[in-house]
Amino acid sequence: MRRPRRVLKNALAEAEQFRRRAALAFAGVVLALVGLAFWYFRLQVLQHADYATRSEANRVKLVPVVPGRGLIFDRKGRVLADNVPAFRLDVVMDEAGDPARWLPQLQRVIALTPEELERFHQARRATPGFRPVTLKLRLSEDEAARFAVDRWRFPGVELVSYLTRRYPHGELFAHVIGYVGRVDEKDLKTLGEGNSAFTHIGKTGLERHYEDALRGRLGYVKVETNVQGRAMGEVGRVPAVPGTDLRLSIDLDLQRAMVLAFGELQGSAVAVDPRTGEVLGMVSLPAYDPNLFVNGIASKDYRPLITDPARPLFNRNVLGGVAPGSTLKPLIALAGLDSGLRTPDDKVLSTGEFRIPGQRRGYRDSHVHGHGWTDLRKSIYQSVNTYYYKLALDMGIERFDDYLRRYGFGAPTGIDLTGEIGGILPSPEWKQANRKERWYPGDTVISSIGQGFWKVTPLQLVQATAALANGGELKRPHLVREVRRGFAAPWTPMPQPPGRRISDRADHIGVVREGMMMTMQPGGTAWSAAIGAPYTMAGKTGTAQVISRRGSASLDPRSLPMHLRHRALFVGFAPADQPTIAVAVVVEGGGYGASTAAPIARKIFDAWLLGKMPEQAPGTGNGEPAVVAGGGSAPAGQPPSRPARPDGTGTRANDSRVPIPDSR
């Protein structure tokens, strides 16, 4: 049998192999130690600031501090919008857990409406779980006390004190100041990063236009917490910057007088200081209570507002357009003088009917039998249509538009309210673009008395009237007079753009003003409104029809439904020799300017110049005038029924006279 072969060990080879393996292991250990050392170096040196910040964030929480919203005052320093302390319930969903578990129990302690629950569920689905979501705003003192007793039962639900907006005069300034409302998803994008702690934002009026200034800047409190996240104490603070206070040019007493002057009528009015452009009062009636919107309006309160045909939420001064009627005549007369087509003493014969050469159709004057020979002054104080029919045809629509645009029509006035419309200045271009029709001479005739395609706002009317009152300077109407950035800071004037001239001829403006002064004297269309006044006033009445009258029959607007009645207008200023107030009044369904709008303007003048308040309406003894929502009006943006066909002819085939509204 063959013996197995023995293999002898090579000690040198094994030793060399061991040394190689040991060297590789050592190198691996060294590399691991170097890597570990580099990792520690990276953590402790290179990323020290980052991890220190994270560590501090785990230890210290930043609690936002919402600043007090800027206050709003009237020109005499009386508060129109302020902040009052209140409580709300905030929920951090990561800490509170499933609402189905704790919400029914909470409802036994705090009453929650369906609107509040729906709003909460919408907000929590759109908000990260670590951020607080408001469940209920404006808890009563009893509710806050009850929750404080049972607070331990609801982890993640906090009772938070805050300042809420209050409008002490309710609907009196609804369309001027507007209101703040709860922040929604769209508002969060507007606010931008870092402002998510704000719960309210300006929605309308001055609250919206000056939102950035009124809001202020957030502050923070640094709160030290333990490992359970429980607050241990305050370790630092970045103070919040309160919002800017606004002092308006509006006078509270005059605002109240303007509402009382309307009584139960609906419409709008603006009063300005013609020397500066400051708005002294501005009302749109009917109105609404802005306090209802601050913390979310209930359905039972909102539904009546949006279904009311009088549209109390609609700001007629900024968004509403009406045909100006004869209130444009002083300005068109000025255009005739400045264009050189007329002199103050040039006369036109008014027979009661005007015809365009070559046409059979006629256009009425305000008096059936005419006014006889009429110069510029008489054309204003007796509101003679024929004078302006002929002047507009002689001027041509292009030059007519150029002058009326110079007086501020066809463009927003620039008042410090968001969303102001520019109205409609009739022109061939506008008609072609919007009606797909050519321009006819009859369109020019109708435009000369403020009818047809015209749309103006009361702000445009008062701006142009103020320019006549101050000698020819068109000034920007504005509401904010001064601002204050801090309670101890001084009030500083709000800068305004310079005015621009509408005429270089003071004598021309003087003649027009004489005609407007004669309007308020015996023989003038509004003389009855000026009886007994211890001061002189100047003005112009206007009546803008909503539907046309037919044939030669006179139409009593009081026989029509409210929404089809004529709109009554008046523009004017006082005292006539040194004006300190100019007004524009529009009464919807008011009938005639002389009998409805002019008396309202007289009450406004008396309140400002004499301190005489209009009589309180019966049944409104709550300290604030009642605003009665009644009747209706044509939809915003819809032109009134035109008194003539596009070719300038009458409304019926057998009608030989174009129906024109009474200019009284």
Side-chain angles (χ1 to χ4, degrees), residues 324-330 364-368 371 378-389 446 448-451 519 524-526 539-545 549 566-570 591-595 598 659-664:
S326 295
T327 57
L328 286 184
K329 287 178 178 176
R364 288 180 178 176
D365 222 320
S366 54
H367 287 181
V368 175
H371 300 263
K378 183 178 178 180
S379 75
I380 295 174
Y381 75 78
Q382 288 195 6
S383 200
V384 183
N385 290 344
T386 295
Y387 185 93
Y388 296 94
Y389 294 152
I446 297 302
S448 72
I449 58 167
Q451 289 286 155
T519 300
T525 57
K540 182 69 190 78
T541 58
T543 302
Q545 67 183 56
R549 60 187 182 185
H566 300 340
R567 290 182 173 90
L569 300 97
F570 179 86
Y592 297 112
S595 59
I660 298 300
D662 204 328
S663 298
R664 289 173 289 176

Side-chain angles (χ1 to χ4, degrees), residues 17-345:
Q17 185 181 42
F18 175 78
R19 283 193 296 270
R20 286 197 300 269
R21 290 178 178 177
L24 288 174
F26 181 77
V29 171
V30 170
L31 287 175
L33 291 174
V34 170
L36 184 61
F38 178 76
W39 184 258
Y40 278 117
F41 177 80
R42 178 173 175 268
L43 292 178
Q44 297 295 328
V45 179
L46 299 180
Q47 295 183 326
H48 172 77
D50 183 33
Y51 284 100
T53 302
R54 294 188 187 185
S55 176
E56 186 70 9
N58 291 332
R59 186 181 69 88
V60 178
K61 288 186 177 180
L62 295 179
V63 179
V65 178
V66 179
R69 192 171 179 86
L71 305 183
I72 301 178
F73 303 87
D74 86 330
R75 68 186 295 118
K76 295 178 181 177
R78 292 168 288 192
V79 177
L80 306 181
D82 66 352
N83 307 310
V84 294
F87 293 98
R88 71 173 186 263
L89 281 182
D90 281 357
V91 181
V92 179
M93 297 308 302
D94 285 351
E95 300 177 12
D98 185 6
R101 180 177 55 81
W102 53 266
L103 195 53
Q105 300 177 30
L106 182 62
Q107 286 183 275
R108 298 190 185 101
V109 181
I110 301 295
L112 297 171
T113 65
E115 289 88 354
E116 289 170 335
L117 291 172
E118 181 182 358
R119 204 176 289 125
F120 167 70
H121 289 305
Q122 289 178 350
R124 72 179 180 85
R125 285 191 288 266
T127 305
F130 61 87
R131 287 184 178 175
V133 179
T134 299
L135 174 59
K136 183 180 178 66
L137 283 166
R138 203 68 187 270
L139 274 72
S140 66
E141 292 184 2
D142 289 342
E143 289 175 325
R146 287 199 305 270
F147 177 79
V149 173
D150 292 330
R151 162 71 184 82
W152 61 274
R153 297 170 51 197
F154 306 102
V157 183
E158 296 290 341
L159 185 66
V160 181
S161 61
Y162 73 107
L163 293 175
T164 188
R165 202 62 156 172
R166 184 185 68 160
Y167 304 103
H169 300 284
E171 60 189 39
L172 190 61
F173 289 93
H175 291 292
V176 176
I177 296 176
Y179 60 85
V180 299
R182 297 178 63 173
V183 171
D184 55 28
E185 292 183 38
K186 181 180 178 182
D187 295 327
L188 286 174
K189 296 179 182 178
T190 303
L191 288 170
E193 192 69 26
N195 287 319
S196 59
F198 286 103
T199 59
H200 291 74
I201 191 173
K203 298 288 188 178
T204 63
L206 291 171
E207 294 277 26
R208 178 181 176 185
H209 190 85
Y210 288 99
E211 168 62 27
D212 292 342
L214 288 166
R215 183 171 64 233
R217 192 166 66 244
L218 282 174
Y220 295 92
V221 174
K222 297 180 180 180
V223 179
E224 186 176 16
T225 61
N226 59 17
V227 292
Q228 286 81 29
R230 196 178 298 274
M232 303 297 293
E234 182 180 322
V235 296
R237 177 181 290 267
V238 177
V241 178
T244 300
D245 295 335
L246 307 180
R247 177 179 282 176
L248 309 186
S249 56
I250 282 185
D251 182 83
L252 172 61
D253 296 326
L254 182 64
Q255 185 82 357
R256 185 179 290 113
M258 292 172 71
V259 175
L260 288 172
F262 271 82
E264 297 187 0
L265 296 171
Q266 66 185 55
S268 56
V270 186
V272 304
D273 186 335
R275 300 166 297 182
T276 62
E278 294 179 352
V279 177
L280 305 175
M282 186 167 73
V283 299
S284 176
L285 302 172
Y288 62 93
D289 184 0
N291 292 294
L292 296 172
F293 289 85
V294 173
N295 292 316
I297 188 169
S299 298
K300 64 181 179 61
D301 295 320
Y302 187 59
R303 190 174 296 108
L305 294 177
I306 61 174
T307 57
D308 188 340
R311 299 175 299 164
L313 296 176
F314 185 70
N315 188 343
R316 289 157 165 81
N317 288 307
V318 175
L319 303 173
V322 299
S326 295
T327 57
L328 286 184
K329 287 178 178 176
L331 295 163
I332 299 173
L334 177 63
L337 294 176
D338 284 347
S339 64
L341 294 173
R342 295 290 186 275
T343 68
D345 299 322

